[in-house]
């Protein structure tokens, strides 16, 4: 743990080109064309994508305007090239923590374009201070665009099952609630999040079972083989139809496991991040979760 923290703290001071050597496994590149290339490769393997434009926490609303335009351009390009996929975004990039109304308007414009292009936008979940405002955003946007917006929930949060309960009556016009379920990546205090590895897994499965029982659509986002195996058991138990769930993984992570899930006939979606802000994104992520440092070091030595 101490070694991971040391590495995570050192990385921002290393040459950018060196960091790119190990970041490139997890990031499609800097441009929309890089994102398109990665998406086409995955589509050819029978895998859908969710595309994420990398960004920093913003300090002024002018930055939010720039990110909105980048998303509009991205949605336009990916949909006109018939990429099989959808889009993910982080509300903090659009001013969630500066001006909630401005953030809502940006997301509204982005999702409106996705609707026009018959696509879908997922709101990523960020650290615990963002959970309440992101749930509010989701509720407002789900009313406007019932079948075109989804939210992420994090199994490590003590509150998640209560949140699912409180959202349960939000189905509109026959469109089910659409969630991505993940463990959660931020470092949170113990009164906010479960800390024990198996405890997080147990709550992941508890949340998943709740979603299946309540006919919610779920993107099962994990590389943990134990959870994938347990999820398959729940899918059989509740006879969940294929159009009510999918598995999701991150770009560059556990490709063998990904292939085995696809071969078994389950729908798979890969989260494809790209953008000029990859350096800040990678190093910030490492500071948020120093455990990631060991994955990055492994990637450096075991490339390919
Ligand atoms: C599609 C997708 C979207 C996500 N969106 C969010 C979000 O909106 N908010 C949020 O808080 N978190 C998000 N996450 C991150 C998630 O919360 C976890 O932190 C992350 O997926 C690792 O958890 P795991 O379930 O894979 O289990 P872990 O126990 O962390 O990993 C299981 C195994 O997978 C492998 N593995 C995992 N990560 C890596 C890696 N980076 N490199 C190499 N091997 C790896 C290792 O072999 C590890 O033993 C997302 C994850 C995915 C897959």
């Amino acid at each position: 743990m101490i070694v991971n923290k040391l590495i995570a703290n050192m990385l921002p001071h290393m040459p950018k080109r060196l960091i790119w050597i190990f970041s490139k496994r997890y990031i499609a590149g800097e441009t929309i064309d890089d994102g398109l290339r990665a998406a086409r490769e995955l589509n050819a393997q029978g895998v859908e994508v969710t595309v994420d434009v990398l960004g920093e926490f913003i300090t002024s609303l002018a930055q939010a305007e720039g990110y909105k335009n980048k998303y509009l351009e991205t949605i336009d390009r990916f949909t006109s090239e018939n990429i099989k996929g959808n889009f993910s975004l982080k509300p903090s990039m659009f001013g969630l923590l500066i001006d909630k109304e401005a953030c809502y308007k940006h997301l509204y414009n982005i999702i409106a374009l996705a609707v026009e292009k018959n696509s879908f936008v997922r709101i990523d979940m960020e650290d615990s201070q963002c959970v309440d405002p992101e749930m509010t955003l989701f509720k407002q946007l789900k009313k406007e665009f019932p079948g075109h917006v989804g939210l992420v929930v994090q199994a490590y949060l003590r509150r998640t099952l209560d949140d699912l309960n409180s959202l349960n009556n939000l189905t509109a016009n026959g469109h089910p609630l659409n969630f991505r379920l993940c463990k959660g990546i931020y470092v949170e205090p113990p009164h906010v999040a479960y800390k024990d590895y198996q405890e997080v897994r147990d709550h992941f499965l508890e949340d998943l079972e709740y979603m299946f029982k309540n006919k919610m659509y779920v993107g099962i986002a994990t590389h943990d083989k134990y959870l994938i195996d347990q999820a398959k058991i729940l899918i059989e138990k509740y006879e969940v139809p294929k159009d009510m769930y999918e598995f999701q993984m991150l770009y560059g992570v556990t490709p063998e496991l990904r292939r085995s899930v696809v071969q078994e006939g389950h729908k798979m979606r890969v989260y494809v991040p790209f953008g000029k802000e990859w350096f800040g994104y990678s190093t910030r992520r490492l500071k948020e979760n120093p455990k990631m440092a060991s994955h990055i070091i492994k990637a450096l030595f075991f490339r390919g």
Side-chain angles (χ1 to χ4, degrees):
M1 190 63 182
I2 293 168
V3 176
N4 279 342
K5 264 195 184 142
L6 270 176
I7 295 167
N9 285 332
M10 268 161 49
L11 284 170
H13 307 291
M14 286 179 171
K16 215 170 161 182
R17 246 184 297 163
L18 183 63
I19 304 289
W20 179 242
I21 292 173
F22 28 88
S23 290
K24 71 179 178 193
R25 178 177 159 185
Y26 302 111
I27 292 162
E30 289 203 348
T31 64
I32 292 183
D33 285 322
D34 291 329
L36 280 166
R37 177 193 36 77
R40 275 192 217 103
E41 277 170 17
L42 287 159
N43 280 181
Q45 295 164 23
V47 173
E48 298 204 13
V49 294
T50 186
V51 183
D52 171 61
V53 180
L54 296 175
E56 293 289 350
F57 284 119
I58 62 164
T59 48
S60 85
L61 286 176
Q63 290 167 285
E65 185 72 26
Y67 285 134
K68 180 191 70 188
N69 292 336
K70 195 76 199 169
Y71 261 92
L72 294 179
E73 188 189 351
T74 301
I75 292 173
D76 202 43
R77 287 283 309 278
F78 275 74
T79 51
S80 60
E81 302 231 4
N82 296 321
I83 295 295
K84 281 193 179 162
N86 59 33
F87 304 90
S88 289
L89 55 75
K90 294 185 174 52
S92 67
M93 267 168 71
F94 301 96
L96 182 74
L97 301 175
I98 303 174
D99 179 341
K100 292 186 177 50
E101 192 50 36
C103 176
Y104 172 78
K105 282 186 188 146
H106 287 315
L107 263 60
Y108 184 99
N109 289 336
I110 291 169
I111 301 170
L113 180 65
V115 173
E116 196 186 308
K117 305 285 183 183
N118 199 22
S119 191
F120 177 92
V121 175
R122 166 100 44 211
I123 302 172
D124 284 351
M125 187 51 78
E126 303 180 77
D127 61 342
S128 54
Q129 64 177 325
C130 295
V131 178
D132 280 323
E134 289 201 18
M135 275 179 52
T136 305
L137 266 181
F138 172 66
K139 284 185 217 164
Q140 293 169 321
L141 291 162
K142 171 91 180 154
K143 268 192 205 132
E144 296 290 336
F145 310 110
H148 297 270
V149 62
L151 185 69
V152 177
V153 293
Q154 298 154 321
Y156 68 1
L157 289 185
R158 293 178 183 274
R159 58 180 286 174
T160 292
L161 203 55
D162 289 339
D163 288 341
L164 288 174
N165 237 320
S166 76
L167 293 170
N168 196 10
N169 59 359
L170 213 69
T171 40
N173 305 337
H175 293 285
L177 282 157
N178 190 319
F179 292 112
R180 171 193 302 147
L181 174 63
C182 65
K183 285 184 181 172
I185 199 154
Y186 301 90
V187 178
E188 301 286 359
H191 67 278
V192 171
Y194 302 107
K195 292 286 169 191
D196 178 74
Y197 193 74
Q198 187 57 38
E199 209 176 359
V200 175
R201 281 173 157 175
D202 292 344
H203 284 280
F204 190 109
L205 294 172
E206 192 184 13
D207 295 338
L208 185 61
E209 188 157 11
Y210 180 92
M211 290 169 168
F212 286 155
K213 274 186 189 163
N214 288 283
K215 314 267 183 251
M216 298 169 174
Y217 187 97
V218 55
I220 308 161
T222 182
H223 319 89
D224 183 344
K225 188 162 182 320
Y226 167 84
L227 283 182
I228 292 172
D229 289 343
Q230 294 300 312
K232 287 183 207 157
I233 292 170
L234 288 176
I235 289 164
E236 277 200 19
K237 179 175 170 191
Y238 289 99
E239 298 178 344
V240 185
K242 289 224 179 289
D243 62 355
M244 284 303 284
Y245 76 93
E246 63 189 41
F247 286 93
Q248 299 187 351
M249 293 189 183
L250 298 172
Y251 185 70
V253 177
T254 59
E256 280 305 320
L257 183 57
R258 183 179 82 211
R259 271 189 279 278
S260 73
V261 174
V262 174
Q263 268 164 14
E264 287 167 8
H266 301 284
K267 183 168 173 179
M268 170 66 73
R269 184 180 308 279
V270 166
Y271 188 100
V272 178
F274 79 89
K276 289 213 175 349
E277 314 276 11
W278 65 267
F279 183 73
Y281 172 86
S282 306
T283 50
R284 197 181 70 234
R285 274 265 151 112
L286 282 163
K287 283 202 161 161
E288 280 157 3
N289 191 350
K291 262 198 305 187
M292 295 290 284
S294 49
H295 290 312
I296 290 201
I297 298 305
K298 269 189 229 152
L300 179 63
F301 291 106
F302 304 104
R303 259 174 290 149

